[in-house]
Amino acid sequence: MVGKVWIGGNAPIVVQAMTKTKTEDITKTITEIKRLERVGCEIVRVAVRNQVAAQALKKIKQNINIPLVADIHFDYRLALASIKAGADKIRINPGNIGHDWKLKEIIKAAKDYNIPIRIGVNVGSLEKRVLAKYQKPSAQGLFESITQTVRFFEDNEFTNLVLSAKGSDVSTTVEVYQKIAEHYSYPLHLGLTEAGLPLEGAIRSACALSILLSQGIGDTIRISLTSDSVKEVVAAYELLQSLGLRQYGPIIISCPTCGRCEVNLIKLTEQVKEALTGYDKPIKVAVMGCVVNGPGEAKNADFGIAAGKKSGIIFSQGKAIKKCAEKDLVACLLAEIKKGAR
Ligand code: SF4
């Protein structure tokens, strides 16, 4: 359990994100987490890089509704302070915590407060001795780092663990998670590290995570993006919905538009998406450019628009409801969705 959220076993794949704010800026951090909550983020991680940030966790936790994870690097004292401040889980990187006695202190505190620890190994911060052995970051190196750390935790009778080993490319990430899944039954947090800008990052992450999730590997995911963290959550749900693993919020299907289209379909689809952001019911909405595929797709969806000449037909539950001018299409569609929800 991470706070009230179950990870692993038969629980749904949990969607996580990480804030981009300085955690010690409590107001900004709470604001970002609230935005993440609105799009369905289920666990949020924040960077704890000093004692002020660790102390800020108390206030942040009081003002949010999802479990809070403290992300710790280098200084074991930040882990201890975060646990005391109420973190629901901590993530540590064994590669940079240092001496074993420091890890033992963290284990003791996590036991006392009964919270899980994620052992998060990253290709960019592998332990020096592992790097020296394998010359360069690799799936084998990541796996060895995880194995040694898990053994240490188990020797110290701590098994309330989540494991992750993120590479920055698809093949390394897939290979290491497959190895981990073969050897351990701990819940796995999946992700590709340093994935990139939204388009590149979402595609790279989807490539790696689709392979793993389709093989039943992975219990929680984060799609790291060099962008607004809200996009990480939206992308994560898009991926899970595409694989049929979760249903959250609307699925919008839209045609690519072509020379036959006589409305501004790109703008129209963006407006529909924007208007439905945060809507949590699992509906399918079609936004289509002309009569070729429009009526068919709009009928098959829960709600739809089949555009015509500067206008369009609104569909609801498979039936054509009314014709609207282009400028009114979004409002008409939303009114039907609202009616349908009632
Ligand atoms: Fe073009 Fe019509 Fe197909 Fe859209 S539905 S891509 S506008 S033919």
Side-chain angles (χ1 to χ4, degrees):
M1 297 301 295
V2 181
K4 61 187 179 192
V5 175
W6 182 270
I7 295 181
N10 291 325
I13 311 287
V14 173
V15 170
Q16 304 198 23
M18 186 165 177
T19 53
K20 321 264 170 177
T21 54
K22 299 270 179 278
T23 304
E24 47 275 36
D25 188 332
I26 295 174
T27 308
K28 275 195 182 154
T29 304
I30 292 171
T31 305
E32 186 172 345
I33 296 174
K34 291 278 178 204
R35 289 179 62 236
L36 290 168
E37 285 179 357
R38 274 198 287 280
V39 291
C41 181
E42 294 168 310
I43 293 178
V44 66
R45 180 159 50 112
V46 297
V48 176
R49 55 185 197 129
N50 53 43
Q51 284 292 341
V52 183
Q55 296 313 320
L57 298 184
K58 260 186 228 155
K59 188 87 187 277
I60 293 168
K61 210 182 143 173
Q62 284 163 7
N63 287 279
I64 62 171
N65 299 302
I66 53 177
L68 184 62
V69 181
D71 191 70
I72 310 292
H73 292 272
F74 306 115
D75 187 346
Y76 80 104
R77 289 166 300 187
L78 297 176
L80 303 185
S82 298
I83 293 170
K84 282 189 194 137
D88 294 299
K89 180 175 86 171
I90 58 161
R91 177 270 168 126
I92 55 163
N93 184 336
N96 60 31
I97 292 292
H99 299 288
D100 286 353
W101 65 266
K102 294 178 181 173
L103 280 178
K104 284 186 185 174
E105 288 288 310
I106 297 175
I107 290 172
K108 184 178 176 310
K111 275 185 192 167
D112 290 347
Y113 285 76
N114 193 25
I115 62 156
I117 296 177
R118 169 154 72 90
I119 300 172
V121 179
N122 257 20
V123 80
S125 50
L126 264 177
E127 291 150 274
K128 283 192 193 103
R129 65 188 158 82
V130 176
L131 264 181
K133 181 170 169 188
Y134 291 95
Q135 308 297 319
K136 58 179 182 161
S138 63
Q140 286 89 340
L142 285 165
F143 182 65
E144 182 163 326
S145 179
I146 278 281
T147 308
Q148 289 179 1
T149 313
V150 170
R151 192 176 307 133
F152 181 83
F153 274 74
E154 288 175 342
D155 288 347
N156 285 277
E157 291 166 355
F158 190 92
T159 54
N160 196 3
L161 294 172
V162 180
L163 308 181
S164 71
K166 300 182 181 181
S168 55
D169 66 82
V170 174
S171 57
T172 305
T173 304
V174 169
E175 190 183 335
V176 70
Y177 276 106
Q178 285 172 333
K179 270 180 194 284
I180 296 172
E182 252 173 54
H183 288 82
Y184 297 107
S185 57
Y186 294 112
L188 301 184
H189 170 68
L190 302 187
L192 207 76
T193 189
E194 287 98 46
L197 290 164
L199 181 65
E200 295 87 331
I203 292 174
R204 279 179 208 139
S205 300
C207 288
L209 271 53
S210 303
I211 296 170
L212 293 166
L213 291 167
S214 303
Q215 294 171 354
I217 298 171
D219 302 283
T220 162
I221 65 171
R222 175 194 176 199
I223 299 204
S224 310
L225 296 176
T226 313
S227 188
D228 183 355
S229 56
V230 162
K231 289 191 181 158
E232 298 189 350
V233 178
V234 174
Y237 278 113
E238 206 57 56
L239 173 62
L240 294 175
Q241 299 214 40
S242 303
L243 293 171
L245 293 171
R246 289 286 302 267
Q247 273 213 309
Y248 182 89
I251 297 177
I252 297 173
I253 55 165
S254 56
C255 78
T257 133
C258 70
R260 288 190 185 85
C261 187
E262 298 197 71
V263 297
N264 185 343
L265 196 81
I266 297 174
K267 186 172 160 208
L268 194 63
T269 311
E270 283 169 356
Q271 286 172 337
V272 170
K273 188 174 165 71
E274 175 70 31
L276 292 175
T277 299
Y279 187 84
D280 61 354
K281 301 212 169 42
I283 53 169
K284 190 170 170 186
V285 179
V287 186
M288 301 293 295
C290 80
V291 291
V292 174
N293 294 317
E297 288 288 3
K299 264 187 207 160
N300 288 337
D302 296 304
F303 301 94
I305 294 173
K309 194 168 183 181
K310 299 287 171 215
S311 64
I313 308 282
I314 302 291
F315 284 76
S316 172
Q317 312 301 327
K319 289 197 188 89
I321 302 289
K322 63 171 161 182
K323 187 174 177 183
C324 299
E326 181 176 359
K327 64 176 178 39
D328 301 325
L329 279 172
V330 177
C332 290
L333 178 77
L334 291 179
E336 284 306 318
I337 293 174
K338 213 169 167 188
K339 232 192 262 172
R342 272 212 295 275

